[in-house]
Amino acid sequence: MNTYNNPILDRLPLHLKQYIVEQHYERYTPVDQAVWRYVMRQNYSYLKDVAYYPYIPGLRAAGLSIERIPDLQTMNDNLKKIGWGAVTVDGFIPPVAFMEFQAYHVLVIAADIRQLEHIEYTPAPDIIHESSGHAPIIAEPDYAEYLSYFGEIGSKAMFSHKDFEQYEAIRKLSILKESHDATPGEIIAAEDRLKRIQANMGEPSEMALLSRLHWWTVEYGLIGTLDNPKIYGAGLLSSIGESASCMQPHVPKLPYSLETVNYTYDITKPQPHLFVTPTFEHLLDVLEQFADTMAFRVGGKTSINKAIECKNVCTAAYSSGLQVSGVFIEIEEGHDLHYLQTSGPTALAVGDKQLDGHGKSNHQEGFGSPVGHLDGQSKALEDFTDEELHGLGIQVDAPVTLRYVSGIEVHGTVIDIKRNHDKIMLISFSNCEVKDVQHGKLYFSPEWGIYDMAVGEGIVSVYCGAADKDAFEQVALVSNEYTHKAAYDDKTRLLHQYYALVRQIRESQKGFGELHSVWSALKTHHQDDWLCALEILEILKHHHYADGLATEIEHWLLDKSESQPELRKLIKDGFNLVENTEIDVLN
């Protein structure tokens, strides 16, 4: 599904397009627009001094304005000029999918926007965080390279089944916290469930460790020196509360290094410390160090064990280049890998392209094959020439017995030999038996049909997902828990009309007299609201209109900030914005 016009998005594979949803711009209420405007005005007022330098011009490059929530097509029109795109999704998506979108130069943007009650910070992904946080910095080439490369590495990271349980719990909690109709009991139950899962995660997976690096850089990263860092992380750029508090001395600033993977994080709380990188190139260096420890580069039995723990489709690549994609299962003990086995639909590929006749329908019950060296041979079977094959009796229509150093024996009639350039990658047999002669274990019996034997001295790479995802028709891990769409009562819809009228007056600079009646309705029927009153005050101050009304509203807001301490900073910052007349530079 591609709802936006951008050639970058046309390259997305089908399994990622499953996550894309319509933005439905018409669903944003006038209150939503006011929330966006307040946060962006506050961001500009503060971040122009503490954000990494491309932030402000980056807003323009990404097609963003202070005044209104961005339209995703407008963002795509601008981002495609620098080789990027953007799509809207429904809340949190699995980390592996998020990473892969980045690898394709696509920003993932949650379609929803935070409630007024969470204007300073929300644990849920929203359009403020994703667009104003991530998009502006994309114009910086070194950072864009890091983000894309992180996506490439992350899309190959192994995750455990517990990771997905945690993701589902985090997603549910974030949805409830931004839901208009969630009860305190539902939120407490969701928090307790997340805590139970997090307390029993076991050894962190590659994806869990990578997510930490992502969090402390892409989301909450600082750049510069420890004494004078600048903000570049999207979580800070989009949080008008934490972007200020994080720069205070009580928040430790630590040098960013590979050791950062040892620091966990909590998305529901302000960060207790932050990491500073001297340059974006340093981020790439650290990422490269971590990538060298990952299964897709290490291979072997340890990496296959990670695939088994994943309990989802993974790919193992033989040294011959053959790729086996399926759900891997445990079949042997010991440190060495002698035989690998999948359960259920499996596909074979080379160069990330599925081999003809070797899709899931051909290997519906799984796939198994030896790994290793032939007994008595100094050369790997994959490197044999045709003459050397004939010397061992390996030729089409001829029976042959192959004995591996591991003790596995393959006996059958050769019916096909496939090469990957100069490497033998697959030998197919009829009437074939495969067994471990030392332990009497049977792997394949003649009555089971054709035996396709992968050829390769070792497993050089293992990673999550299928090699050819589109051909494999892999079903993405799409959650069945969706964000809640608000149903507004008559009183709330009337409040929306007041916000819309105030915006209309501000933009047209006409109808100032109507502000009296709007204010009267607000203080009578909507005493919990403060932002609309602040917007009225802004208009009155800027146009020197009805000073008596302005004074009344100002005193009302001051009283509210005293009686509701949680609003004190928001209202104080709002007063500063009212006095600031230079913020129109981006509109």
Side-chain angles (χ1 to χ4, degrees):
M1 177 181 181
N2 177 11
T3 61
Y4 308 111
N5 179 24
N6 184 341
I8 300 296
L9 306 183
D10 295 337
R11 302 202 303 259
L12 287 172
L14 295 175
H15 70 280
L16 289 182
K17 291 180 180 180
Q18 296 177 85
Y19 292 103
I20 302 174
V21 300
E22 293 276 3
Q23 184 182 18
H24 290 297
Y25 197 90
E26 73 283 355
R27 290 180 182 170
Y28 298 123
T29 70
V31 177
D32 293 335
Q33 296 287 358
V35 167
W36 171 273
R37 183 173 184 268
Y38 178 93
V39 172
M40 292 302 292
R41 283 164 60 82
Q42 185 64 38
N43 279 352
Y44 174 73
S45 178
Y46 177 68
L47 293 174
K48 62 184 174 64
D49 298 319
V50 299
Y52 185 64
Y53 76 90
Y55 178 73
I56 297 303
L59 286 173
R60 296 192 187 95
L64 302 177
S65 79
I66 283 178
E67 282 298 309
R68 53 185 45 82
I69 297 169
D71 171 73
L72 260 287
Q73 185 56 60
T74 301
M75 285 190 67
N76 273 290
D77 291 342
N78 285 269
L79 289 172
K80 68 183 180 183
K81 298 174 185 176
I82 55 174
W84 281 75
V87 296
T88 38
V89 298
D90 184 63
F92 277 118
I93 64 173
V96 66
F98 186 92
M99 301 286 186
E100 196 170 358
F101 271 109
Q102 284 184 192
Y104 280 93
H105 287 202
V106 174
L107 292 178
V108 174
I109 296 178
D112 293 328
I113 188 168
R114 65 194 64 178
Q115 299 177 59
L116 178 57
E117 291 81 2
H118 300 152
I119 193 169
E120 284 192 285
Y121 171 78
T122 174
D126 79 328
I127 196 166
I128 293 178
H129 168 79
E130 308 291 356
S131 59
S132 71
H134 286 293
I137 202 75
I138 293 294
E140 169 60 33
D142 289 338
Y143 180 75
E145 180 185 354
Y146 171 70
L147 200 63
S148 175
Y149 189 55
F150 203 115
E152 292 179 27
I153 300 299
S155 64
K156 293 184 178 297
M158 304 295 297
F159 63 88
S160 71
H161 67 285
K162 291 182 180 180
D163 288 332
F164 192 70
E165 289 180 9
Q166 178 180 243
Y167 153 72
E168 284 276 81
I170 290 173
R171 177 178 167 85
K172 184 175 182 64
L173 176 59
S174 70
I175 289 172
L176 288 173
K177 286 200 169 187
E178 277 298 327
S179 173
H180 293 269
D181 55 1
T183 66
E186 287 177 319
I187 293 175
I188 291 173
E191 288 175 335
D192 289 343
R193 178 171 181 263
L194 176 58
K195 289 177 183 176
R196 288 195 302 272
I197 292 172
Q198 290 178 329
N200 294 281
M201 290 296 292
E203 191 72 19
S205 67
E206 289 179 355
M207 181 56 75
L209 295 176
L210 259 183
S211 294
R212 294 176 188 176
L213 294 184
H214 197 271
W215 183 263
W216 297 122
T217 60
V218 175
E219 297 295 350
Y220 280 83
L222 301 176
I223 186 170
T225 65
L226 295 179
D227 295 330
N228 185 30
K230 298 292 185 182
I231 295 172
Y232 74 90
L236 295 174
L237 292 174
S238 61
S239 172
I240 57 178
E242 200 165 359
S243 61
S245 64
C246 78
M247 302 304 280
Q248 300 302 314
H250 71 272
V251 179
K253 312 300 189 296
L254 309 174
Y256 181 70
S257 71
L258 188 58
E259 293 300 312
T260 305
V261 299
N262 298 319
Y263 290 78
T264 59
Y265 60 88
D266 185 340
I267 70 166
T268 66
K269 300 176 182 178
Q271 304 312 305
H273 45 251
L274 295 172
F275 293 88
V276 185
T277 181
T279 63
F280 289 134
E281 289 87 346
H282 179 65
L283 298 183
L284 283 165
D285 292 341
V286 172
L287 180 58
E288 195 68 23
Q289 292 175 47
F290 183 80
D292 284 341
T293 70
M294 293 173 63
F296 85 97
R297 288 189 178 172
V298 174
K301 180 66 179 292
T302 300
S303 299
I304 288 293
N305 286 341
K306 290 181 179 180
I308 294 168
E309 168 61 19
C310 180
K311 298 182 181 179
N312 279 279
V313 175
C314 294
T315 294
Y318 278 80
S319 49
S320 63
L322 183 71
Q323 298 162 309
V324 180
S325 298
V327 178
F328 289 86
I329 59 174
E330 187 77 60
I331 60 166
E332 58 180 22
E333 298 179 354
H335 297 294
D336 296 325
L337 177 63
H338 302 310
Y339 199 92
L340 61 78
Q341 181 71 53
T342 65
S343 175
T346 304
L348 307 184
V350 63
D352 296 334
K353 293 298 181 182
Q354 185 173 291
L355 290 175
D356 290 341
H358 291 282
K360 292 191 299 183
S361 61
N362 304 97
H363 302 285
Q364 296 184 41
E365 304 301 322
F367 180 88
S369 197
V371 180
H373 214 78
L374 290 180
D375 191 22
Q377 300 296 318
S378 59
K379 190 175 185 178
L381 177 59
E382 64 204 83
D383 294 323
F384 274 34
T385 64
D386 289 341
E387 291 75 14
E388 289 169 329
L389 287 176
H390 292 164
L392 282 181
I394 306 173
Q395 50 189 326
V396 174
D397 295 331
V400 68
T401 298
L402 303 179
R403 295 181 180 85
Y404 282 80
V405 173
S406 62
I408 292 174
E409 185 174 283
V410 179
H411 178 76
T413 300
V414 177
I415 58 174
D416 189 33
I417 300 172
K418 280 186 168 52
R419 287 185 178 271
N420 173 28
H421 300 298
D422 58 342
K423 294 275 190 179
I424 300 170
M425 62 177 177
L426 194 67
I427 302 177
S428 299
F429 298 86
S430 63
N431 194 32
C432 186
E433 182 180 77
V434 183
K435 62 183 178 181
D436 183 337
V437 295
Q438 293 180 358
H439 301 95
K441 184 172 184 176
L442 181 68
Y443 291 111
F444 196 88
S445 182
E447 60 268 20
W448 297 351
I450 302 299
Y451 181 69
D452 296 300
M453 187 187 79
V455 177
E457 191 166 18
I459 299 299
V460 296
S461 180
V462 183
Y463 52 90
C464 270
D468 188 339
K469 292 183 174 66
D470 285 347
F472 196 88
E473 296 177 341
Q474 184 174 352
V475 177
L477 296 174
V478 180
S479 176
N480 57 11
E481 181 78 25
Y482 297 98
T483 54
H484 300 179
K485 306 306 176 187
Y488 302 108
D489 58 22
D490 291 341
K491 181 180 178 181
T492 304
R493 284 193 288 269
L494 194 57
L495 179 62
H496 293 172
Q497 292 178 24
Y498 296 143
Y499 269 90
L501 179 57
V502 170
R503 175 177 283 270
Q504 178 185 329
I505 292 170
R506 183 180 65 247
E507 293 179 346
S508 68
Q509 298 187 27
K510 297 177 182 178
F512 297 124
E514 295 185 73
L515 295 174
H516 291 270
S517 60
V518 173
W519 166 240
S520 178
L522 286 174
K523 67 179 180 179
T524 303
H525 302 295
H526 303 280
Q527 295 181 353
D528 290 336
D529 188 84
W530 59 271
L531 183 54
C532 193
L534 192 66
E535 291 206 330
I536 293 174
L537 180 63
E538 176 194 338
I539 296 172
L540 298 177
K541 290 276 191 177
H542 284 195
H543 293 278
H544 306 288
Y545 178 82
D547 290 341
L549 179 59
T551 301
E552 179 185 346
I553 294 175
E554 195 166 8
H555 286 162
W556 183 86
L557 286 168
L558 283 170
D559 289 343
K560 181 172 280 292
S561 70
E562 289 300 317
S563 62
Q564 296 179 247
E566 70 275 11
L567 297 180
R568 191 168 298 157
K569 183 178 185 302
L570 290 168
I571 292 174
K572 178 184 176 182
D573 290 343
F575 284 153
N576 292 333
L577 294 176
V578 166
E579 300 298 330
N580 193 337
T581 59
E582 66 167 321
I583 302 182
D584 296 332
V585 295
L586 292 181
N587 300 322

